[in-house]
Amino acid sequence: MLDNILALHSGIWTANRLYQPNTHCRPSGHAIIDEKLDGGWPESGVVELQLPCFGIGELRLALPAIARGMKDSELILFATPPGELNPLALCQADLDLDKVIILDASLPSTLWCVEQALKSGCCRTAVLWGKSLSVTQARRLQLAAAENDCLLFMFTHQKSTQGLPVSCRLSVTPSADGLTINVVKRRGLPVPPFSLSLPAIYSTYSHHHHRHDSDTACINVVPLFR
């Protein structure tokens, strides 16, 4: 009976109709992320990843989406990385080094440069490491990214408790085999914490004709920082 009444009155909404999955997403390159976030990262705006410290795998988390955005972009911006980015690792992630711009951490005008890059129209993706940003600074970056069809990954410290005006916020901590992710803010229904496995930076192999420990060597993924 109730279902029939609701069907006759399109102006009445039930709770399960309040949320519609976001159809404008950028695939993350990680199946579990795409599943939990209904398709992937927002197509534009700021994705904030709160970290206990930099260098726990945050860039490896974002790199597949960064590479995807580079296909129809004139440049990709990395601002104030915590270490020297390894060009071999960027190439391994299918990034065109001719399109890569790196802003040194010592630049006092870094946030202004990032904002101008977002507004330029030639940047589809940018990455910013920042220990603390004010609400005003974050709002300017959010508007610049959202209005110019750009996705900005912003890595911040978890000790920054103040909520910033961003499209999506995740709390990320290292785990034994990758990362533990807690979705703090997003458009849509709440998501329980989940784990993302990341391949080891190094793996070992042994020579076929020798089985001594001294005969092992390291191969696999090139470290992102050097």
Side-chain angles (χ1 to χ4, degrees):
M1 175 72 72
L2 179 59
D3 291 340
N4 292 334
I5 294 174
L6 293 176
L8 293 174
H9 298 278
S10 59
I12 299 176
W13 285 72
T14 56
N16 62 358
R17 296 174 61 194
L18 291 176
Y19 168 64
Q20 296 295 329
N22 186 5
T23 57
H24 301 288
C25 292
R26 184 185 301 189
S28 69
H30 306 281
I32 186 68
I33 296 286
D34 292 349
E35 175 188 344
K36 299 295 184 180
L37 298 185
D38 299 311
W41 306 116
E43 187 63 38
S44 61
V46 176
V47 172
E48 180 187 6
L49 283 81
Q50 297 179 324
L51 315 168
C53 60
F54 296 145
I56 64 170
E58 67 272 15
L59 191 51
R60 295 171 66 196
L61 174 63
L63 267 177
I66 294 171
R68 182 180 295 269
M70 178 172 276
K71 295 178 181 179
D72 51 0
S73 177
E74 295 180 24
L75 62 88
I76 169 69
L77 177 68
F78 294 95
T80 64
E84 184 181 356
L85 290 173
N86 189 339
L88 292 178
L90 298 182
C91 288
Q92 190 179 66
D94 293 328
L95 269 64
D96 183 352
L97 296 185
D98 289 335
K99 296 182 177 182
V100 172
I101 295 178
I102 300 175
L103 290 181
D104 187 85
S106 64
L107 281 177
S109 57
T110 294
L111 293 183
W112 182 86
C113 293
V114 173
E115 184 179 357
Q116 299 311 305
L118 298 177
K119 291 180 176 179
S120 69
C122 60
C123 180
R124 289 276 289 119
T125 317
V127 182
L128 169 65
W129 285 264
K131 293 183 179 179
S132 62
L133 273 73
S134 69
V135 171
T136 300
Q137 290 170 331
R139 182 179 294 112
R140 290 178 66 93
L141 295 177
Q142 169 68 16
L143 288 175
E147 292 177 356
N148 294 278
D149 196 28
C150 184
L151 180 60
L152 171 63
F153 288 99
M154 186 169 67
F155 304 128
T156 63
H157 282 171
Q158 286 176 339
K159 63 182 180 182
S160 303
T161 57
Q162 187 177 33
L164 298 177
V166 297
S167 298
C168 181
R169 180 181 301 111
L170 280 65
S171 174
V172 182
T173 54
S175 63
D177 62 347
L179 300 171
T180 298
I181 299 175
N182 181 29
V183 181
V184 181
K185 174 185 177 181
R186 78 171 188 123
R187 180 184 178 184
L189 299 176
V191 176
F194 60 94
S195 297
L196 170 68
S197 296
L198 292 175
I201 292 293
Y202 296 110
S203 62
T204 60
Y205 71 93
S206 299
H207 295 293
H208 293 294
H209 301 295
H210 303 279
R211 298 188 181 274
H212 301 292
D213 291 341
S214 59
D215 293 325
T216 61
C218 292
I219 57 172
N220 208 343
V221 181
V222 179
L224 280 163
F225 295 100
R226 63 179 187 179

